[in-house]
């Protein structure tokens, strides 16, 4: 429907949906999904229009809100008009605008974004903007914010148990997809568009999984070996678990821990497709569940991808910046410290510990590492660039993995690698 005039009925739906979304009481995709179920009978292209419009508004809420002040009509109406025009052009609103509104929109399109205040241009809440400025500076923050306001590409990880990248890439290109190798991950494929790959025969057969390249690189830091005992401490739906299991060639034992049975249940169908037989999903009640105790001091490698603000995923989940707050981040950092401390007990002498987040905030990243090293003298840092170099991955972000869309084309990720050099009473 790009370029087509939107019907008044669909425009009305967009306004009603936006009212619900701007409460930010639930994730946008949940609110939109519920709205589709309740109102039904939307054609696929109509759903696409509504999704693109809503996500555009959420991404650029400050900027669009600034523009909306100069027009008549309700805020929701003005925001939807802007969302449509910036994603589908002026022609898309011809059937739903007055002459005055069309003139206003034409004027808005002539505005140079550089003329806007930096924070308005960034479309970030003040507290996030100030924290980024403090650590990155204005120019880097502006570049990062601009990249976060773009839509993310679709990345896949080839399952080495069933396929290789060259053959999978050739098969996808043969189907007409615009696909290419990811620049850093040796098993990744990036698609420019977002086809429904879940219906592709190769996906159904388990030849690949949907996974951002940054997430794939976190698994490379674990650097699993065949026959080892490994723990994915916060496994969630198991994307990283599957990548680690494939790298182990389904040997050894790989425990997937998570406190959410619902999240972990999503691993089961993926596990069946993958062909892996070395994965053991385990629901735990907390990071100090008694099920964990029997593994203390016995694990070769532990990945701790902790619950975090998710602010590194704003290209995919733009509502996260409006749903998080300084208070929620403070609560998260307390959990992150506790989870990392508990997970570290599992690591055996000479074993590896990887701490990771999909956050761009120092509070959840460097500050957690600093706190951990202060209280865990039995661990030392291993520079991430050394770990990646050993695997012939041409990426150097220094001693930590710090990925961002404006520099690396991935979601925002952070990771630190530690090695246990001596045992303590807690790990014996």
């Amino acid at each position: 429907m790009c370029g087509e005039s939107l019907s008044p009925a669909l425009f009305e739906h967009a306004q009603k949906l936006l009212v619900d979304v701007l409460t930010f009481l639930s994730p946008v995709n949940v609110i939109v999904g519920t709205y589709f179920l309740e109102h039904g009978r939307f054609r696929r292209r109509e759903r696409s229009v509504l999704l693109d419009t809503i996500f555009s508004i959420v991404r650029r809420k400050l900027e669009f809100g600034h523009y909306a002040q100069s027009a008549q009509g309700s805020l929701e109406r003005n925001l939807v008009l802007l969302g449509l025009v910036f994603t589908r052009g002026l022609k898309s609103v011809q059937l739903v605008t007055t002459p005055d509104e069309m003139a206003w929109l034409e004027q808005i399109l002539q505005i140079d974004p550089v003329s806007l205040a930096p924070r308005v241009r960034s479309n970030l809440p003040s507290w996030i903007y100030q924290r980024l400025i403090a650590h990155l500076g204005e120019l880097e923050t502006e570049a990062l914010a601009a990249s976060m306001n773009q839509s993310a590409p679709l990345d896949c990880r080839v399952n080495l148990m069933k396929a290789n990248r060259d053959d999978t890439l050739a098969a996808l290109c043969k189907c007409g997809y615009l696909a290419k190798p990811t620049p850093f991950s040796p098993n990744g494929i990036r698609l420019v568009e977002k086809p429904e790959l879940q219906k592709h025969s190769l996906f159904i057969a388990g030849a690949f999984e949907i996974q951002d390249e940054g997430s794939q690189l976190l698994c490379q830091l674990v650097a699993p070996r065949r026959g080892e005992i490994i723990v994915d401490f916060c496994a969630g739906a198991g994307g990283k678990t599957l990548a680690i299991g494939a790298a182990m060639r389904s040997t050894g034992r790989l425990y997937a821990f998570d406190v959410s049975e619902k999240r972990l249940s999503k691993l089961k169908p993926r596990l069946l497709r993958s062909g892996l037989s070395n994965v053991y999903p385990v629901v735990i009640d907390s990071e100090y569940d008694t099920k964990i105790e029997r593994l203390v001091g016995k694990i070769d490698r532990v990945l701790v991808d902790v619950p975090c603000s998710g602010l590194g995923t704003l290209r995919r989940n733009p509502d996260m910046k409006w749903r998080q707050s300084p208070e929620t981040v403070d609560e998260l950092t307390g959990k992150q410290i506790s989870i990392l401390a508990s997970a570290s007990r599992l690591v055996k002498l000479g074993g590896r510990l990887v701490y990771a987040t999909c956050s761009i905030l120092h509070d959840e990243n460097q500050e957690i590492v600093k706190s951990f090293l202060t209280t865990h003298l039995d661990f030392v840092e291993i520079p991430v660039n050394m770990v990646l170099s050993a695997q012939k991955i041409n990426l150097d972000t220094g001693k930590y993995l710090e990925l961002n869309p404006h520099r690396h084309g991935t979601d925002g990720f952070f990771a630190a690698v530690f090695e246990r050099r001596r045992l303590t009473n807690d790990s014996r």
Side-chain angles (χ1 to χ4, degrees):
M1 289 184 69
C2 187
E4 296 182 31
S5 298
L6 201 71
S7 70
L10 195 59
F11 183 76
E12 186 68 22
H13 278 296
Q15 292 184 80
K16 290 179 179 178
L17 179 54
L18 182 62
V19 171
D20 293 340
V21 165
L22 291 182
T23 65
F24 295 116
L25 295 176
S26 298
V28 169
N29 60 342
V30 173
I31 294 174
V32 172
T34 300
Y35 191 90
F36 286 166
L37 285 174
E38 291 177 349
H39 294 81
R41 297 185 180 179
F42 289 111
R43 290 173 292 176
R44 181 178 174 183
R45 62 177 186 169
E46 292 174 332
R47 290 196 299 270
S48 178
V49 170
L50 291 173
L51 277 170
D52 289 348
T53 303
I54 293 300
F55 271 77
S56 174
I57 295 166
V58 173
R59 283 192 181 98
R60 303 173 68 174
K61 187 165 78 75
L62 283 184
E63 182 185 353
F64 286 177
H66 174 76
Y67 296 148
Q69 294 175 6
S70 62
Q72 301 295 319
S74 69
L75 175 64
E76 288 77 18
R77 178 179 177 83
N78 293 339
L79 289 176
V80 170
L81 289 173
L82 290 164
L84 285 165
V85 167
F86 276 87
T87 56
R88 301 186 118 71
L90 279 170
K91 187 177 179 180
S92 66
V93 297
Q94 285 181 337
L95 297 180
V96 296
T97 51
T98 66
D100 285 347
E101 286 175 327
M102 186 61 77
W104 167 67
L105 290 168
E106 289 173 347
Q107 289 179 342
I108 294 298
L109 289 175
Q110 300 303 313
I111 295 175
D112 185 348
V114 176
S115 66
L116 301 175
R119 191 175 80 80
V120 172
R121 195 164 60 239
S122 76
N123 285 287
L124 291 172
S126 178
W127 69 274
I128 297 177
Y129 182 76
Q130 294 302 328
R131 292 190 189 197
L132 292 178
I133 288 285
H135 293 288
L136 301 178
E138 291 185 6
L139 291 179
E140 188 74 3
T141 296
E142 185 167 342
L144 173 59
S147 67
M148 289 292 192
N149 288 325
Q150 304 299 315
S151 179
L154 182 64
D155 290 351
C156 304
R157 175 190 55 81
V158 175
N159 177 13
L160 298 180
M161 293 292 296
K162 294 191 171 184
N164 63 65
R165 181 161 72 173
D166 289 344
D167 290 346
T168 305
L169 184 60
L172 290 174
C173 290
K174 188 176 181 180
C175 292
Y177 299 135
L178 298 176
K180 60 183 179 180
T182 47
F184 306 115
S185 172
N187 306 315
I189 292 174
R190 176 162 295 162
L191 291 95
V192 177
E193 298 175 345
K194 296 182 180 179
E196 292 188 30
L197 289 180
Q198 289 87 344
K199 297 180 180 179
H200 196 285
S201 59
L202 287 176
F203 177 84
I204 295 170
F208 64 83
E209 280 282 339
I210 310 299
Q211 186 178 22
D212 185 80
E213 183 184 22
S215 177
Q216 296 178 44
L217 290 170
L218 294 184
C219 302
Q220 297 290 150
L221 295 182
V222 178
R225 296 172 181 168
R226 298 188 188 199
E228 291 185 325
I229 305 176
I230 297 178
V231 169
D232 186 351
F233 203 80
C234 304
K240 299 178 189 68
T241 305
L242 296 174
I244 294 170
M248 297 169 72
R249 292 298 195 274
S250 201
T251 63
R253 294 177 72 86
L254 174 55
Y255 294 98
F257 291 157
D258 203 89
V259 296
S260 171
E261 185 174 3
K262 182 179 179 180
R263 282 197 300 266
L264 209 52
S265 68
K266 296 178 181 178
L267 171 59
K268 293 180 181 179
R270 304 173 77 184
L271 195 54
L272 287 174
R273 287 197 308 269
S274 73
L276 295 173
S277 59
N278 65 334
V279 177
Y280 300 86
V282 181
V283 179
I284 56 176
D285 57 30
S286 74
E287 63 267 30
Y288 290 96
D289 192 306
T290 54
K291 300 186 191 75
I292 298 170
E293 298 302 316
R294 61 189 176 86
L295 299 176
V296 169
K298 298 178 181 179
I299 307 302
D300 294 289
R301 297 165 196 270
V302 177
L303 171 62
V304 193
D305 184 12
V306 294
C308 69
S309 65
L311 293 175
T313 67
L314 292 182
R315 297 183 305 170
R316 306 174 197 279
N317 307 297
D319 54 309
M320 294 300 293
K321 60 187 174 185
W322 309 116
R323 296 178 57 231
Q324 297 290 4
S325 68
E327 292 74 26
T328 59
V329 170
D330 287 344
E331 183 179 348
L332 283 166
T333 55
K335 291 180 180 178
Q336 290 158 0
I337 290 171
S338 178
I339 291 171
L340 181 58
S342 179
S344 71
R345 298 178 302 139
L346 306 186
V347 182
K348 71 180 186 181
L349 186 64
R352 176 171 295 182
L353 175 67
V354 178
Y355 173 78
T357 75
C358 54
S359 174
I360 52 177
L361 297 180
H362 272 231
D363 312 59
E364 300 180 88
N365 298 333
Q366 290 87 345
E367 291 302 317
I368 300 297
V369 171
K370 181 180 177 181
S371 174
F372 176 75
L373 289 173
T374 300
T375 55
H376 293 76
L377 301 180
D378 46 330
F379 282 88
V380 298
E381 285 182 293
I382 304 297
V384 162
N385 52 8
M386 290 178 56
V387 176
L388 294 177
S389 177
Q391 298 175 73
K392 296 181 170 53
I393 295 176
N394 186 26
L395 173 64
D396 187 351
T397 62
K399 68 176 180 177
Y400 301 130
L401 184 71
E402 296 183 75
L403 300 175
N404 285 304
H406 68 298
R407 292 193 174 275
H408 309 103
T410 68
D411 284 347
F413 283 99
F414 172 89
V417 178
F418 311 97
E419 184 177 296
R420 174 161 247 148
R421 292 291 172 85
R422 62 186 177 87
L423 295 176
T424 63
N425 290 334
D426 288 341
S427 56
R428 289 173 182 165

